[in-house]
Amino acid sequence: MPLYLYLNIFTILFPLLLSFDKKVAFYKNWPCLWPAIVINAVLFMIWDELFTQAGIWGFNPEYLVGIYLFNLPLEEVLFFITVPYACVFIYECLNAYITKDLLQPYTKAITFALIPVLLLLAVFNLEKLYTSITFTLLAVMLGVHYYFFNTQRLGRFYLAYIVHLVPFLLVNGVLTYLPIVWYNNSHNLSLRIVSIPVEDTMYSMLMLLLTISIYEGLKQRFAVKHYQPLAV
């Protein structure tokens, strides 16, 4: 049964249908969203392909349709489209319906606590490639985002990340419990949230932050490009 495909459909179905909600009007941001998703997808697919070849993780063919791009099943490729779309949709919904940036006062402290902790965990677990690479890349991405946006977007991002953990635990729980996706524990900390490797939470944060950073950068550039000063 192609359960992984069904999970992809479940992930994107409601965000896609609700993209035309008048208050959020998410579809209006598609010109900035889709390039961000494509860039994210290409980078993560390269990473995924290398890790799959190295046996750091893999896929159970019992739950796949059997179509592959190199070593990646079709469903895994779709994952890098459906999940970022759904996550940025959550981000924009929260921006539209919660006008106050609740976490903004704490974002600098959160960010500058996360970066050294992630780097230390990476350094002390260099042989565990899923741990060391994911934590290092996330620390770098947090630094890059802070450099370009300071704390303007981080409060909103952290709130969206916390909210996204609900569907994340549901979908990823199914993926890892059956398992549809299996992991080589010699390359992670062997710490699980039920069946989910703890690294997956940081992997998801990295994917969401990369997508939102590109998305917000494009929105900013698009707004400047189309800004028309009032005639004097």
Side-chain angles (χ1 to χ4, degrees):
M1 182 174 72
L3 187 56
Y4 196 177
L5 180 61
Y6 298 155
L7 285 172
N8 272 297
I9 293 170
F10 170 76
T11 298
I12 201 170
L13 180 60
F14 292 106
L16 191 59
L17 292 176
L18 294 172
S19 293
F20 302 93
D21 168 74
K22 289 183 180 179
K23 187 172 179 65
V24 180
F26 191 48
Y27 71 95
K28 292 182 179 179
N29 292 321
W30 282 357
C32 297
L33 174 67
W34 288 113
I37 288 177
V38 168
I39 293 168
N40 176 83
V42 169
L43 293 174
F44 272 82
M45 283 169 60
I46 293 169
W47 180 3
D48 206 345
E49 173 69 20
L50 293 172
F51 269 34
T52 302
Q53 287 184 12
I56 295 169
W57 57 49
F59 309 93
N60 187 343
E62 182 180 349
Y63 300 104
L64 308 174
V65 295
I67 300 172
Y68 288 81
L69 179 63
F70 301 104
N71 290 301
L72 300 181
L74 171 65
E75 294 88 345
E76 182 76 351
V77 175
L78 292 175
F79 177 90
F80 296 121
I81 298 170
T82 61
V83 170
Y85 187 98
C87 289
V88 180
F89 176 76
I90 290 171
Y91 170 80
E92 285 292 12
C93 283
L94 292 171
N95 290 347
Y97 286 96
I98 301 177
T99 55
K100 185 176 181 181
D101 190 350
L102 301 173
L103 297 180
Q104 203 282 332
Y106 315 105
T107 54
K108 189 171 183 178
I110 293 169
T111 303
F112 282 89
L114 272 175
I115 290 174
V117 168
L118 288 165
L119 290 175
L120 281 172
L121 286 169
V123 168
F124 284 107
N125 293 279
L126 288 176
E127 75 287 355
K128 301 180 188 297
L129 292 181
Y130 188 22
T131 306
S132 58
I133 291 175
T134 302
F135 288 11
T136 300
L137 289 177
L138 177 54
V140 170
M141 190 65 230
L142 284 165
V144 169
H145 181 96
Y146 184 83
Y147 176 81
F148 283 104
F149 296 102
N150 203 285
T151 60
Q152 295 173 18
R153 303 282 183 262
L154 276 172
R156 297 291 188 178
F157 164 74
Y158 286 133
L159 180 61
Y161 174 74
I162 291 167
V163 172
H164 114 290
L165 287 174
V166 176
F168 164 82
L169 291 171
L170 177 62
V171 173
N172 220 41
V174 175
L175 286 174
T176 55
Y177 181 77
L178 290 172
I180 297 171
V181 181
W182 55 261
Y183 294 85
N184 180 344
N185 285 334
S186 64
H187 288 289
N188 60 58
L189 294 172
S190 297
L191 298 174
R192 303 252 173 171
I193 304 169
V194 187
S195 59
I196 302 169
V198 71
E199 285 84 356
D200 278 10
T201 62
M202 298 295 98
Y203 182 91
S204 188
M205 180 183 278
L206 174 60
M207 184 162 58
L208 178 54
L209 182 59
L210 175 61
T211 307
I212 285 177
S213 297
I214 299 169
Y215 170 70
E216 287 290 2
L218 290 173
K219 281 175 65 180
Q220 200 171 76
R221 177 170 292 190
F222 188 79
V224 170
K225 185 178 178 181
H226 289 79
Y227 170 69
Q228 296 292 333
L230 295 173
V232 178

mmCIF file of all heavy atoms in Angstrom, residues 118-141:
data_model
loop_
_atom_site.group_PDB
_atom_site.id
_atom_site.type_symbol
_atom_site.label_atom_id
_atom_site.label_comp_id
_atom_site.label_asym_id
_atom_site.label_seq_id
_atom_site.Cartn_x
_atom_site.Cartn_y
_atom_site.Cartn_z
ATOM 1 N N LEU A 118 23.912 23.696 19.607
ATOM 2 C CA LEU A 118 23.922 22.855 18.404
ATOM 3 C C LEU A 118 25.351 22.547 17.961
ATOM 4 O O LEU A 118 25.668 21.404 17.606
ATOM 5 C CB LEU A 118 23.158 23.552 17.272
ATOM 6 C CG LEU A 118 21.639 23.619 17.422
ATOM 7 C CD1 LEU A 118 21.048 24.631 16.446
ATOM 8 C CD2 LEU A 118 21.011 22.240 17.206
ATOM 9 N N LEU A 119 26.206 23.549 17.977
ATOM 10 C CA LEU A 119 27.595 23.347 17.542
ATOM 11 C C LEU A 119 28.348 22.417 18.489
ATOM 12 O O LEU A 119 29.133 21.563 18.045
ATOM 13 C CB LEU A 119 28.306 24.694 17.420
ATOM 14 C CG LEU A 119 27.845 25.588 16.260
ATOM 15 C CD1 LEU A 119 28.533 26.942 16.315
ATOM 16 C CD2 LEU A 119 28.108 24.911 14.910
ATOM 17 N N LEU A 120 28.111 22.557 19.773
ATOM 18 C CA LEU A 120 28.769 21.669 20.742
ATOM 19 C C LEU A 120 28.307 20.224 20.558
ATOM 20 O O LEU A 120 29.126 19.288 20.568
ATOM 21 C CB LEU A 120 28.469 22.136 22.168
ATOM 22 C CG LEU A 120 29.285 23.331 22.672
ATOM 23 C CD1 LEU A 120 28.748 23.820 24.012
ATOM 24 C CD2 LEU A 120 30.763 22.965 22.799
ATOM 25 N N LEU A 121 27.022 20.030 20.377
ATOM 26 C CA LEU A 121 26.505 18.679 20.142
ATOM 27 C C LEU A 121 27.070 18.094 18.858
ATOM 28 O O LEU A 121 27.373 16.891 18.788
ATOM 29 C CB LEU A 121 24.974 18.708 20.085
ATOM 30 C CG LEU A 121 24.254 18.893 21.420
ATOM 31 C CD1 LEU A 121 22.770 19.171 21.201
ATOM 32 C CD2 LEU A 121 24.424 17.649 22.303
ATOM 33 N N ALA A 122 27.230 18.936 17.849
ATOM 34 C CA ALA A 122 27.811 18.473 16.584
ATOM 35 C C ALA A 122 29.267 18.058 16.758
ATOM 36 O O ALA A 122 29.695 16.994 16.294
ATOM 37 C CB ALA A 122 27.682 19.566 15.526
ATOM 38 N N VAL A 123 30.027 18.890 17.448
ATOM 39 C CA VAL A 123 31.458 18.619 17.660
ATOM 40 C C VAL A 123 31.674 17.336 18.456
ATOM 41 O O VAL A 123 32.582 16.539 18.152
ATOM 42 C CB VAL A 123 32.134 19.821 18.353
ATOM 43 C CG1 VAL A 123 33.530 19.446 18.850
ATOM 44 C CG2 VAL A 123 32.212 21.012 17.405
ATOM 45 N N PHE A 124 30.855 17.119 19.476
ATOM 46 C CA PHE A 124 31.026 15.934 20.324
ATOM 47 C C PHE A 124 30.410 14.669 19.713
ATOM 48 O O PHE A 124 30.500 13.598 20.299
ATOM 49 C CB PHE A 124 30.427 16.186 21.709
ATOM 50 C CG PHE A 124 31.290 17.058 22.577
ATOM 51 C CD1 PHE A 124 30.932 18.374 22.843
ATOM 52 C CD2 PHE A 124 32.488 16.581 23.100
ATOM 53 C CE1 PHE A 124 31.737 19.182 23.626
ATOM 54 C CE2 PHE A 124 33.299 17.377 23.887
ATOM 55 C CZ PHE A 124 32.926 18.695 24.153
ATOM 56 N N ASN A 125 29.806 14.814 18.526
ATOM 57 C CA ASN A 125 29.205 13.653 17.861
ATOM 58 C C ASN A 125 29.552 13.645 16.374
ATOM 59 O O ASN A 125 28.710 13.340 15.521
ATOM 60 C CB ASN A 125 27.682 13.667 18.036
ATOM 61 C CG ASN A 125 27.252 13.463 19.471
ATOM 62 O OD1 ASN A 125 27.206 12.347 19.975
ATOM 63 N ND2 ASN A 125 26.918 14.565 20.147
ATOM 64 N N LEU A 126 30.812 13.961 16.074
ATOM 65 C CA LEU A 126 31.228 14.067 14.681
ATOM 66 C C LEU A 126 31.024 12.775 13.898
ATOM 67 O O LEU A 126 30.745 12.798 12.692
ATOM 68 C CB LEU A 126 32.704 14.487 14.616
ATOM 69 C CG LEU A 126 33.019 15.934 14.990
ATOM 70 C CD1 LEU A 126 34.519 16.171 14.975
ATOM 71 C CD2 LEU A 126 32.311 16.918 14.061
ATOM 72 N N GLU A 127 31.187 11.632 14.564
ATOM 73 C CA GLU A 127 31.055 10.345 13.867
ATOM 74 C C GLU A 127 29.602 9.999 13.552
ATOM 75 O O GLU A 127 29.327 9.151 12.704
ATOM 76 C CB GLU A 127 31.696 9.227 14.719
ATOM 77 C CG GLU A 127 30.897 8.774 15.934
ATOM 78 C CD GLU A 127 30.887 9.767 17.093
ATOM 79 O OE1 GLU A 127 31.591 10.798 17.003
ATOM 80 O OE2 GLU A 127 30.187 9.500 18.088
ATOM 81 N N LYS A 128 28.674 10.655 14.229
ATOM 82 C CA LYS A 128 27.239 10.434 13.979
ATOM 83 C C LYS A 128 26.808 11.464 12.938
ATOM 84 O O LYS A 128 26.452 12.592 13.269
ATOM 85 C CB LYS A 128 26.447 10.579 15.279
ATOM 86 C CG LYS A 128 26.873 9.609 16.377
ATOM 87 C CD LYS A 128 26.044 9.810 17.633
ATOM 88 C CE LYS A 128 26.570 8.997 18.806
ATOM 89 N NZ LYS A 128 26.504 7.554 18.574
ATOM 90 N N LEU A 129 26.834 11.066 11.686
ATOM 91 C CA LEU A 129 26.704 12.036 10.603
ATOM 92 C C LEU A 129 25.357 12.745 10.562
ATOM 93 O O LEU A 129 25.289 13.929 10.214
ATOM 94 C CB LEU A 129 26.982 11.352 9.262
ATOM 95 C CG LEU A 129 28.423 10.900 9.045
ATOM 96 C CD1 LEU A 129 28.593 10.267 7.679
ATOM 97 C CD2 LEU A 129 29.393 12.066 9.212
ATOM 98 N N TYR A 130 24.274 12.049 10.885
ATOM 99 C CA TYR A 130 22.973 12.719 10.881
ATOM 100 C C TYR A 130 22.956 13.819 11.943
ATOM 101 O O TYR A 130 22.515 14.936 11.692
ATOM 102 C CB TYR A 130 21.842 11.707 11.121
ATOM 103 C CG TYR A 130 20.445 12.274 10.954
ATOM 104 C CD1 TYR A 130 20.203 13.414 10.199
ATOM 105 C CD2 TYR A 130 19.343 11.647 11.549
ATOM 106 C CE1 TYR A 130 18.922 13.925 10.040
ATOM 107 C CE2 TYR A 130 18.061 12.142 11.401
ATOM 108 C CZ TYR A 130 17.853 13.284 10.650
ATOM 109 O OH TYR A 130 16.580 13.786 10.506
ATOM 110 N N THR A 131 23.486 13.521 13.107
ATOM 111 C CA THR A 131 23.532 14.489 14.203
ATOM 112 C C THR A 131 24.447 15.660 13.866
ATOM 113 O O THR A 131 24.035 16.831 13.914
ATOM 114 C CB THR A 131 24.029 13.816 15.495
ATOM 115 O OG1 THR A 131 23.228 12.680 15.768
ATOM 116 C CG2 THR A 131 23.981 14.778 16.664
ATOM 117 N N SER A 132 25.689 15.373 13.534
ATOM 118 C CA SER A 132 26.688 16.433 13.363
ATOM 119 C C SER A 132 26.360 17.346 12.178
ATOM 120 O O SER A 132 26.461 18.576 12.292
ATOM 121 C CB SER A 132 28.081 15.830 13.193
ATOM 122 O OG SER A 132 28.135 14.946 12.100
ATOM 123 N N ILE A 133 25.940 16.771 11.061
ATOM 124 C CA ILE A 133 25.658 17.592 9.878
ATOM 125 C C ILE A 133 24.393 18.419 10.081
ATOM 126 O O ILE A 133 24.362 19.621 9.785
ATOM 127 C CB ILE A 133 25.567 16.712 8.617
ATOM 128 C CG1 ILE A 133 26.950 16.158 8.277
ATOM 129 C CG2 ILE A 133 25.010 17.510 7.440
ATOM 130 C CD1 ILE A 133 26.977 15.178 7.130
ATOM 131 N N THR A 134 23.351 17.805 10.598
ATOM 132 C CA THR A 134 22.089 18.528 10.803
ATOM 133 C C THR A 134 22.262 19.670 11.786
ATOM 134 O O THR A 134 21.828 20.805 11.533
ATOM 135 C CB THR A 134 20.994 17.576 11.314
ATOM 136 O OG1 THR A 134 20.817 16.513 10.374
ATOM 137 C CG2 THR A 134 19.672 18.310 11.488
ATOM 138 N N PHE A 135 22.907 19.400 12.909
ATOM 139 C CA PHE A 135 23.056 20.429 13.937
ATOM 140 C C PHE A 135 23.962 21.564 13.462
ATOM 141 O O PHE A 135 23.711 22.732 13.754
ATOM 142 C CB PHE A 135 23.584 19.810 15.228
ATOM 143 C CG PHE A 135 22.585 18.960 15.966
ATOM 144 C CD1 PHE A 135 21.384 18.582 15.383
ATOM 145 C CD2 PHE A 135 22.849 18.509 17.239
ATOM 146 C CE1 PHE A 135 20.463 17.794 16.059
ATOM 147 C CE2 PHE A 135 21.937 17.724 17.937
ATOM 148 C CZ PHE A 135 20.744 17.359 17.346
ATOM 149 N N THR A 136 25.032 21.211 12.732
ATOM 150 C CA THR A 136 25.930 22.247 12.210
ATOM 151 C C THR A 136 25.219 23.137 11.200
ATOM 152 O O THR A 136 25.303 24.369 11.263
ATOM 153 C CB THR A 136 27.165 21.606 11.552
ATOM 154 O OG1 THR A 136 27.872 20.832 12.524
ATOM 155 C CG2 THR A 136 28.092 22.673 10.971
ATOM 156 N N LEU A 137 24.500 22.516 10.265
ATOM 157 C CA LEU A 137 23.795 23.294 9.233
ATOM 158 C C LEU A 137 22.719 24.180 9.844
ATOM 159 O O LEU A 137 22.523 25.327 9.403
ATOM 160 C CB LEU A 137 23.188 22.354 8.194
ATOM 161 C CG LEU A 137 24.183 21.644 7.264
ATOM 162 C CD1 LEU A 137 23.452 20.685 6.334
ATOM 163 C CD2 LEU A 137 24.984 22.658 6.452
ATOM 164 N N LEU A 138 22.025 23.677 10.857
ATOM 165 C CA LEU A 138 20.990 24.491 11.495
ATOM 166 C C LEU A 138 21.623 25.685 12.216
ATOM 167 O O LEU A 138 21.107 26.809 12.141
ATOM 168 C CB LEU A 138 20.168 23.652 12.474
ATOM 169 C CG LEU A 138 19.088 24.410 13.254
ATOM 170 C CD1 LEU A 138 18.139 25.166 12.324
ATOM 171 C CD2 LEU A 138 18.304 23.455 14.156
ATOM 172 N N ALA A 139 22.740 25.467 12.916
ATOM 173 C CA ALA A 139 23.431 26.568 13.591
ATOM 174 C C ALA A 139 23.868 27.628 12.587
ATOM 175 O O ALA A 139 23.687 28.837 12.817
ATOM 176 C CB ALA A 139 24.638 26.034 14.363
ATOM 177 N N VAL A 140 24.410 27.185 11.457
ATOM 178 C CA VAL A 140 24.837 28.116 10.405
ATOM 179 C C VAL A 140 23.638 28.871 9.843
ATOM 180 O O VAL A 140 23.679 30.092 9.644
ATOM 181 C CB VAL A 140 25.586 27.365 9.285
ATOM 182 C CG1 VAL A 140 25.816 28.272 8.079
ATOM 183 C CG2 VAL A 140 26.913 26.814 9.802
ATOM 184 N N MET A 141 22.546 28.145 9.593
ATOM 185 C CA MET A 141 21.351 28.772 9.010
ATOM 186 C C MET A 141 20.752 29.794 9.963
ATOM 187 O O MET A 141 20.288 30.856 9.529
ATOM 188 C CB MET A 141 20.326 27.685 8.666
ATOM 189 C CG MET A 141 19.146 28.195 7.829
ATOM 190 S SD MET A 141 19.661 28.759 6.190
ATOM 191 C CE MET A 141 18.864 30.359 6.122
#
